[in-house]
Amino acid sequence: YYHHRLGMLDQKTGAFKMYQPPTRGSAIYGVVADPRNGYIWYADQAGNYISRFDPGTQTFAEYPIPTRGAIPRFIDLDKNGRVWFGEWWIGKIGVLDPEGGAKSVASR
């Protein structure tokens, strides 16, 4: 959270690697893993994004939350792969359907 990076531990070798998200100063919070595809999802409090990390390609994707100052925190995945999250500062619940078409934002 305070180091603005995402870390990954290789349980077989014990090696630990840090990854820098595209948004400088990102505040990673509420990390969940998608067992279907291995993606790592998290809320970026500082950048106001729901973000995805693909360990296979070591790339990030960011989905902006349209509510200014939402400060997303905890997130979870449902059985359909949608990402649900709380807009902590605003008192709203948002959902992101990354496979649901042309949506480029995390909530409405």
Side-chain angles (χ1 to χ4, degrees):
Y1 179 81
Y2 289 113
H3 288 235
H4 314 291
R5 292 181 289 165
L6 182 67
M8 186 169 68
L9 171 68
D10 184 325
Q11 295 179 348
K12 293 178 184 173
T13 66
F16 192 77
K17 185 168 182 180
M18 299 297 285
Y19 297 92
Q20 179 66 56
T23 298
R24 301 242 350 120
S26 64
I28 297 170
Y29 206 95
V31 179
V32 296
D34 189 336
R36 300 173 316 133
N37 50 32
Y39 291 155
I40 306 299
W41 291 92
Y42 63 88
D44 177 357
Q45 288 186 323
N48 213 46
Y49 294 109
I50 298 302
S51 300
R52 182 188 73 206
F53 177 70
D54 181 344
T57 62
Q58 299 183 359
T59 58
F60 288 87
E62 295 180 320
Y63 299 85
I65 298 172
T67 308
R68 291 186 64 170
I71 305 180
R73 291 183 76 183
F74 298 106
I75 66 173
D76 206 355
L77 303 171
D78 69 18
K79 65 180 180 175
N80 298 316
R82 293 177 297 194
V83 183
W84 292 85
F85 58 95
E87 295 182 23
W88 180 71
W89 196 252
I90 305 301
K92 292 171 50 178
I93 295 175
V95 63
L96 166 65
D97 186 354
E99 299 172 11
K103 290 183 183 178
S104 62
V105 296
S107 69
R108 293 180 189 231

